[in-house]
Amino acid sequence: MKITRIETFLVPPRWLFCRIETDEGVVGWGEPVVEGRAEIVRAAVDVLAEYLIGQDPLRVQDHWQVLSKGGFYRGGPVLSSAVAGIDQALWDIAGKTYGAPVHALLGGPVRDRVRVYAWVGGDEPGRLAEEVTAQVEAGFTAVKMNAAGRTSPLASPAETAAVVERVAAVRDVLGPGRDVAIDMHGRFGPAGARRVLHAIEPLHPLFVEEPLLPEQGHLLPALTAATCVPIATGERLYGRADFLPVLTAGIAVAQPDLSHAGGISEVHRIGSLADTFGVQLAPHCPLGPIALAASLQIAFATPNFLIQEQSRGIHYNKDADLLSYVVDTEPFRFDAGHARRTALPGLGITVDENAVRAADRSGHAWRNPVWRHDDGSFAEW
């Protein structure tokens, strides 16, 4: 079997899909994207495709090595995301060829269902009680929210109190038997993050995500030592080498993204590395159906898996949603806040190719907002 064609598709709301075709008619799908930079990743996939055309798609690990390391310059979000989407598609082809789900090829399932959480509140959280109530009524046992919108470089007492008030309102709805995770998005700064973590400790968040920016990883050891709140990070880290310092810093939850951190191949290795530190895996995935399908395959095969992010109804989704580009929505039917394991081959989904090609004709040019403080200076989004 040989790879004969590689195509990419810009599809709303902000995604990039990759289709790999073989001379035996087996087709695999992946999701290589950096949100807000999809066109650049598309160009990177085109360059990597030059090597892959004519190759045996079943040499997944060898292709990962060449695509990731075959150029003199390595790493970074664009290359790692391009490799990630290609890697997902190659695993999809492998599963379809062998008639098995990817999690079976990774050593078999370790669980029958995967806990997922829902987003509430948007970028600048509001109407939280109503949104959390709706998610509880839909069967979810966990939600995630942003701690705040744009925030002062050193969080003020009012800003800190507002975070506590929001989290307390969510906890009141959830009660003690459900979980809330909090995303700081690196918006608070080291001192502000310490203040907020101390203030919300009594509310027992499942974890607090990105209390520091990824480039401030050298400050993580002091932060994790100063709080009993589980710290999570990883959506802006792109491989095992990036994760090693934060694992040694004492984080509790690693959050590699299957569309950024080298795909199924590398995230599987990151999960094993995290396990040696007693760290749980919670793949980042505010993206589309292919990225989520790949994430679920990892979740079913990873002993130290914690919980899975998913994008149904997320505030980023305009004009299309998680179910817009799949033929069968059953793999994404969440029962009591869980996704059920299936025996469907490959990634376990059937992409609606007609819908994808139609969407690509319009495409998208999604960009994240640029925020500014009251004085006009740049603010972290």
Side-chain angles (χ1 to χ4, degrees):
M1 184 161 54
K2 304 295 181 185
I3 296 171
T4 55
R5 182 164 59 158
I6 298 177
E7 301 173 273
T8 53
F9 307 91
L10 277 171
V11 298
R14 57 178 191 158
W15 306 329
L16 180 69
F17 292 170
C18 173
R19 179 184 184 274
I20 298 183
E21 183 177 335
T22 70
D23 60 354
E24 295 187 9
V26 183
V27 171
W29 288 86
E31 194 166 335
V33 67
V34 174
E35 302 94 296
R37 300 291 185 265
E39 304 93 329
I40 302 172
V41 181
R42 183 179 220 177
V45 172
D46 289 343
V47 172
L48 297 177
E50 297 172 3
Y51 166 77
L52 287 169
I53 298 298
Q55 297 284 343
D56 176 359
L58 300 181
R59 299 188 64 181
V60 180
Q61 294 294 347
D62 186 65
H63 294 325
W64 190 94
Q65 297 293 323
V66 173
L67 298 178
S68 298
K69 303 177 180 180
F72 183 72
Y73 298 99
R74 306 177 180 184
V78 172
L79 176 61
S80 294
S81 298
V83 172
I86 291 171
D87 183 81
Q88 293 170 16
L90 294 178
W91 277 103
D92 195 26
I93 289 172
K96 291 172 179 176
T97 300
Y98 296 127
V102 169
H103 65 258
L105 304 185
L106 295 175
V110 297
R111 58 182 51 83
D112 296 322
R113 62 180 191 158
V114 165
R115 190 185 185 201
V116 299
Y117 64 78
W119 263 94
V120 293
D123 274 331
E124 300 192 76
R127 298 183 62 244
L128 283 165
E130 297 94 327
E131 291 189 36
V132 175
T133 298
Q135 298 298 351
V136 169
E137 291 174 350
F140 288 97
T141 62
V143 297
K144 189 168 82 173
M145 56 179 281
N146 277 312
R150 69 201 73 200
T151 304
S152 302
L154 187 59
S156 69
E159 288 171 323
T160 303
V163 174
V164 176
E165 182 180 351
R166 282 189 288 268
V167 179
V170 171
R171 174 56 71 200
D172 284 345
V173 176
L174 294 174
R178 300 183 183 90
D179 285 309
V180 56
I182 301 164
D183 193 347
M184 285 191 170
H185 242 245
R187 295 171 181 168
F188 285 81
R194 283 196 299 272
R195 282 179 174 173
V196 171
L197 287 169
H198 177 72
I200 63 175
E201 280 183 0
L203 297 168
H204 295 279
L206 178 64
F207 57 75
V208 169
E209 178 176 336
E210 277 202 322
L212 300 178
L213 292 166
E215 57 266 32
Q216 295 171 336
H218 58 289
L219 302 177
L220 264 175
L223 188 66
T224 59
T227 182
C228 65
V229 174
I231 301 301
T233 196
E235 69 186 75
R236 290 186 272 185
L237 303 177
Y238 310 113
R240 284 162 289 162
D242 293 340
F243 272 90
L244 186 57
V246 301
L247 293 171
T248 60
I251 67 167
V253 182
Q255 298 176 297
D257 189 304
L258 269 289
S259 284
H260 300 331
I264 292 169
S265 294
E266 184 69 350
V267 172
H268 189 237
R269 292 186 283 261
I270 291 169
S272 296
L273 176 63
D275 195 29
T276 66
F277 289 86
V279 172
Q280 300 295 108
L281 192 74
H284 179 258
C285 189
L287 295 171
I290 305 171
L292 179 57
S295 298
L296 290 174
Q297 296 299 322
I298 285 287
F300 286 124
T302 302
N304 56 317
F305 167 83
L306 177 65
I307 197 168
Q308 179 60 55
E309 181 173 24
Q310 55 85 29
S311 70
R312 189 186 298 180
I314 199 171
H315 49 288
Y316 301 123
N317 291 352
K318 312 290 185 194
D319 304 320
D321 207 342
L322 181 66
L323 306 181
S324 298
Y325 302 109
V326 292
V327 174
D328 178 12
T329 62
E330 184 65 17
F332 298 137
R333 182 174 66 85
F334 304 133
D335 179 17
H338 290 75
R340 295 281 180 178
R341 181 170 58 85
T342 76
L344 296 172
L347 296 181
I349 60 170
T350 301
V351 174
D352 187 340
E353 188 170 324
N354 291 332
V356 169
R357 292 187 182 277
D360 181 61
R361 287 193 285 271
S362 299
H364 69 83
W366 187 87
R367 302 289 184 264
N368 63 252
V370 175
W371 284 355
R372 294 193 178 274
H373 295 298
D374 291 341
D375 64 0
S377 62
F378 176 80
E380 290 290 342
W381 170 70

